[in-house]
Amino acid sequence: MTKEKQAQLRKAVMPYAKSQTKTSIIQILNTIVPFFVLWFLAYQSLSISFWLSLLFSLGTAGFMIRTFIIFHDCAHQSFFKSKKWNSILGTFTGVITHFAYEKWKREHSIHHATSGNLDKRGIGDIWVMTVEEYKEASKSERLKYRLYRNPLVMFGLGPLSLFLYANRFNRKGAKKKERMNTYLINVSLLAIYTLIGFTLGWHVLLLVQLPIIYFAGALGIWLFYVQHQFEDSYFENESEWDYVKAAVDGSSYYKLPRWLEWMTGSIGYHHVHHLAPRVPNYHLEQAHESTPPLHQATTITLKSSLESIRFRLYDEKNKTFVGFREIEERLKQNRTSLQ
């Protein structure tokens, strides 16, 4: 794709990079209100059956994901025209989703600016090692990486680590605004959890709140994972890296059933989002459909996305993801040939 065509492509989606206050307010009402209603039903149904409560918790987790999409749009200044209202709503939804708004906004902007850049990995993205890096790594570093990429760790311990640790602390050298926002959200969560414990019972945090944040966290990590971890995803060194190619070739179109697309705020149109982050979630589908070149983005389905579990290392030479077993076989063959 030439620079001229890249510029035309970005220009084609810019008309959709405009928020609509009415649509945004409707989305708040059909997302955050159901979240609290389902949370209350999950609590109330505990007196009947934990399993019934768990079903309501699963539904609440779904609306927590949808709330996160609103939080996400606020971080991109795309949900409201006003920066002030994006910040207010972003902080409020940050409490609901347990994400520090200003901290995450900074990290996510870096993710957008460096996605697919092999020389600028490490902030706001999934840890990816190249084949050569893995070969040269120490045994302890390999073990650390293998544990990180293990599905049981990533989707099992990952949600708890994300909510209870990663989102609770500021980076060294964080600016005052970022630090104070994290403190505000942490104090708000502490107050809410204490209030729930003393008024509804501490068991409610374990039987209602914990399943909600766990399932929402696992699904959120999965969505972020599959949007960039597919077989022929785009990765290049700084000298060859290109923003538009990283957006269109390095982000997938996750084609989901309509109800799941709605629940996840159309974030499956991730290639559109990376191309034009100011497009609000409720315009992503329209931007995709009206821009034919975007139809060429890698499309994955629920079934095909499961294949991404086996993608562990990026092979720079062949421009594709490979699994640990394949690389271990290569290393074994190399050791044999040297003997």
Side-chain angles (χ1 to χ4, degrees):
M1 187 184 296
T2 64
K3 292 292 183 181
E4 183 179 354
K5 287 185 176 181
Q6 289 181 3
Q8 291 174 350
L9 183 58
R10 294 191 72 180
K11 184 178 180 180
V13 299
M14 291 314 294
Y16 303 97
K18 296 177 181 178
S19 64
Q20 295 178 325
T21 302
K22 180 180 178 181
T23 305
S24 295
I25 291 174
I26 290 174
Q27 191 166 72
I28 291 173
L29 295 175
N30 66 27
T31 301
I32 298 178
V33 173
F35 170 85
F36 286 114
V37 170
L38 285 170
W39 196 103
F40 180 72
L41 291 174
Y43 160 67
Q44 289 285 68
S45 59
L46 274 179
S47 60
I48 302 174
S49 165
F50 167 71
W51 299 109
L52 177 60
S53 174
L54 188 62
L55 286 176
F56 283 118
S57 292
L58 283 170
T60 311
F63 279 94
M64 188 174 183
I65 288 292
R66 188 166 162 83
T67 301
F68 179 82
I69 299 303
I70 293 177
F71 166 91
H72 169 265
D73 278 8
C74 288
H76 283 294
Q77 305 297 306
S78 65
F79 200 71
F80 286 125
K81 295 180 177 67
S82 166
K83 183 178 181 180
K84 175 184 176 180
W85 280 106
N86 278 317
S87 181
I88 292 173
L89 183 60
T91 300
F92 177 70
T93 52
V95 174
I96 295 176
T97 60
H98 295 49
F99 274 77
Y101 175 70
E102 292 292 342
K103 176 180 184 292
W104 189 85
K105 181 174 72 171
R106 173 189 168 275
E107 292 176 351
H108 193 61
S109 66
I110 294 174
H111 163 69
H112 271 264
T114 60
S115 180
N117 190 324
L118 290 171
D119 296 322
K120 295 183 177 180
R121 286 166 288 165
I123 298 180
D125 52 16
I126 297 289
W127 185 13
V128 174
M129 286 184 78
T130 66
V131 170
E132 291 304 316
E133 288 171 342
Y134 183 78
K135 288 179 178 179
E136 295 173 4
S138 64
K139 289 184 177 180
S140 61
E141 189 71 5
R142 288 185 189 181
L143 177 60
K144 181 180 177 182
Y145 183 72
R146 290 180 77 103
L147 286 173
Y148 175 91
R149 301 286 296 203
N150 187 296
L152 294 179
V153 175
M154 182 173 289
F155 305 110
L157 298 178
L160 298 180
S161 174
L162 186 66
F163 289 129
L164 302 178
Y165 176 74
N167 289 333
R168 306 280 67 85
F169 298 96
N170 288 304
R171 63 187 172 88
K172 184 178 180 180
K175 293 183 179 179
K176 183 178 179 180
K177 182 179 181 181
E178 184 178 323
R179 287 188 287 105
M180 295 307 294
N181 183 262
T182 301
Y183 297 152
L184 173 61
I185 291 176
N186 286 348
V187 169
S188 298
L189 286 171
L190 180 62
I192 292 169
Y193 274 44
T194 302
L195 181 63
I196 291 174
F198 279 114
T199 58
L200 303 181
W202 297 100
H203 68 290
V204 174
L205 295 177
L206 178 65
L207 301 179
V208 175
Q209 183 64 10
L210 183 59
I212 290 171
I213 64 172
Y214 177 78
F215 288 126
L219 177 57
I221 292 173
W222 171 254
L223 286 171
F224 192 76
Y225 179 86
V226 299
Q227 286 162 352
H228 297 286
Q229 312 282 308
F230 49 92
E231 190 167 11
D232 56 348
S233 186
Y234 176 90
F235 285 91
E236 289 288 354
N237 292 109
E238 172 70 14
S239 59
E240 299 294 329
W241 185 82
D242 180 85
Y243 179 88
V244 175
K245 287 184 69 64
V248 180
D249 296 338
S251 303
S252 65
Y253 165 35
Y254 199 8
K255 191 174 184 179
L256 297 169
R258 292 300 290 185
W259 71 273
L260 265 179
E261 182 183 316
W262 184 87
M263 189 64 75
T264 56
S266 299
I267 200 61
Y269 294 95
H270 210 61
H271 56 304
V272 182
H273 171 63
H274 264 262
L275 180 64
R278 294 297 292 270
V279 175
N281 71 85
Y282 45 77
H283 285 161
L284 290 173
E285 180 181 2
Q286 189 179 2
H288 169 82
E289 295 297 337
S290 63
T291 313
L294 292 178
H295 300 172
Q296 299 173 19
T298 299
T299 301
I300 57 176
T301 63
L302 278 175
K303 183 179 180 180
S304 64
S305 67
L306 297 177
E307 297 177 5
S308 66
I309 291 294
R310 64 182 178 84
F311 300 147
R312 308 297 178 84
L313 298 159
Y314 188 72
D315 188 337
E316 286 186 80
K317 182 178 179 180
N318 297 306
K319 305 294 183 183
T320 186
F321 271 101
V322 294
F324 286 130
R325 182 178 298 179
E326 181 180 345
I327 297 305
E328 291 298 340
E329 289 177 355
R330 290 187 196 177
L331 291 174
K332 186 177 180 180
Q333 290 174 357
N334 288 339
R335 286 194 294 267
T336 302
S337 64
L338 292 174
Q339 292 177 353

